[in-house]
Amino acid sequence: MTTESEYISTTLIDSILVLTLNRPQKKNALTPCMYWALVHALKSAQTDDHINVVMITNSGDYFCAGNDVGGFETLADTPYRERPGFNFMMTLAEFSKPLVAAVNGSAVGLGVTLLLHCDIVCASTTTQLSFPFVSIGLVPEFGSTALLPQRLGYQKAAEILMLGKKLKAAEALELGLLNTIVAGDTLYHQALEYCKAFANQPRGAVLATKQLMKGNEVQAIQQRIDAETQAINRLLPNLKLPEKS
């Protein structure tokens, strides 16, 4: 069963919910409506006993270009905790069921940092991860200022986040940010196999193991997301977008 909601496609395959970013003409940049659709889908999946696993993937050859910056001005007067992007980050950060990402093509900004909250990340050979936050005058978001140093060490994280380094798929795999790299035409199948493997495990044991592995991280990461968002709000007036060619 497949449904469409403002550029987000949802497909239920047995106990696997597949969420597809479906705005390829805009490199799957996320709009407020897309964020709310993702929040609704994740919250519904969280409480649905028939759903064991969620996969996030994309249509087209670009995974996600991050935020659609065209919507920044319309949200300027909205308290940040009521904004759709903030609610999406908080919802995904505390999602307790297995999350698998199938990343076909490049990911930028939030399109990259959301991967840090997934349990398995499969990528195509064309995937490139870009962290442009500081380069445009902002700070990284989605808890990445805590998660990346934890996983890579401070110096490597500083090189990536403060200098806006781009990572090709092979380097991201070597750093442990990806689980596997496959050709684009086999990516969906590979990610689905991971989902099926999760679904075939005893659900209670999977959920308990994820909770134990996360420990107290969820609350700490949500607090970091809040702090990062406040810093972004302070810096937003000086946002430096790249010139269009």
Side-chain angles (χ1 to χ4, degrees):
M1 180 179 68
T2 301
T3 60
E4 303 281 338
S5 177
E6 192 62 31
Y7 305 120
I8 301 295
S9 300
T10 61
T11 304
L12 188 61
I13 304 172
D14 296 323
S15 64
I16 301 164
L17 177 66
V18 181
L19 303 177
T20 303
L21 308 181
N22 192 23
R23 196 187 180 211
Q25 71 277 16
K26 294 293 185 179
K27 297 182 178 179
N28 292 315
L30 294 162
T31 66
C33 288
M34 291 171 75
Y35 276 129
W36 283 129
L38 289 167
V39 167
H40 174 74
L42 289 168
K43 287 187 173 182
S44 295
Q46 180 70 52
T47 58
D48 190 335
D49 289 339
H50 295 100
I51 295 175
N52 290 336
V53 190
V54 171
M55 183 204 295
I56 299 176
T57 189
N58 62 290
S59 61
D61 56 6
Y62 207 101
F63 176 67
C64 179
N67 284 295
D68 186 331
V69 295
F72 280 175
E73 289 185 5
T74 62
L75 295 172
D77 296 328
T78 303
Y80 73 89
R81 290 180 180 175
E82 298 176 15
R83 294 174 189 170
F86 183 82
N87 278 271
F88 168 69
M89 289 189 287
M90 289 302 210
T91 301
L92 192 68
E94 66 183 7
F95 191 72
S96 66
K97 294 181 180 180
L99 279 163
V100 176
V103 184
N104 189 17
S106 293
V108 176
L110 188 136
V112 177
T113 54
L114 75 83
L115 303 178
L116 299 175
H117 299 269
C118 295
D119 302 293
I120 297 288
V121 182
C122 305
S124 66
T125 53
T126 61
T127 293
Q128 181 171 271
L129 308 182
S130 300
F131 301 79
F133 306 101
V134 172
S135 300
I136 63 172
L138 301 179
V139 300
E141 29 75 315
F142 221 153
S144 57
T145 60
L147 292 171
L148 217 58
Q150 287 173 11
R151 298 180 188 185
L152 305 182
Y154 178 83
Q155 282 82 7
K156 192 63 183 179
E159 178 185 359
I160 293 171
L161 292 179
M162 289 196 277
L163 297 181
K165 184 174 181 180
K166 296 179 181 180
L167 301 175
K168 292 185 178 180
E171 185 175 3
L173 180 66
E174 184 177 353
L175 289 172
L177 297 178
L178 306 176
N179 290 86
T180 187
I181 301 172
V182 296
D185 58 355
T186 64
L187 175 68
Y188 184 88
H189 175 75
Q190 177 65 72
L192 195 59
E193 288 302 306
Y194 272 114
C195 291
K196 290 177 180 177
F198 274 125
N200 289 332
Q201 293 283 77
R203 179 162 66 171
V206 169
L207 297 179
T209 300
K210 178 169 180 174
Q211 183 180 28
L212 288 166
M213 290 175 67
K214 292 282 188 179
N216 296 323
E217 178 183 278
V218 172
Q219 184 177 5
I221 292 303
Q222 288 184 319
Q223 291 173 348
R224 183 61 61 91
I225 291 171
D226 193 286
E228 291 167 345
T229 304
Q230 291 186 56
I232 288 171
N233 284 345
R234 293 193 299 270
L235 294 166
L236 204 53
N238 297 317
L239 179 68
K240 181 184 177 183
L241 294 176
E243 294 183 5
K244 295 181 180 180
S245 56

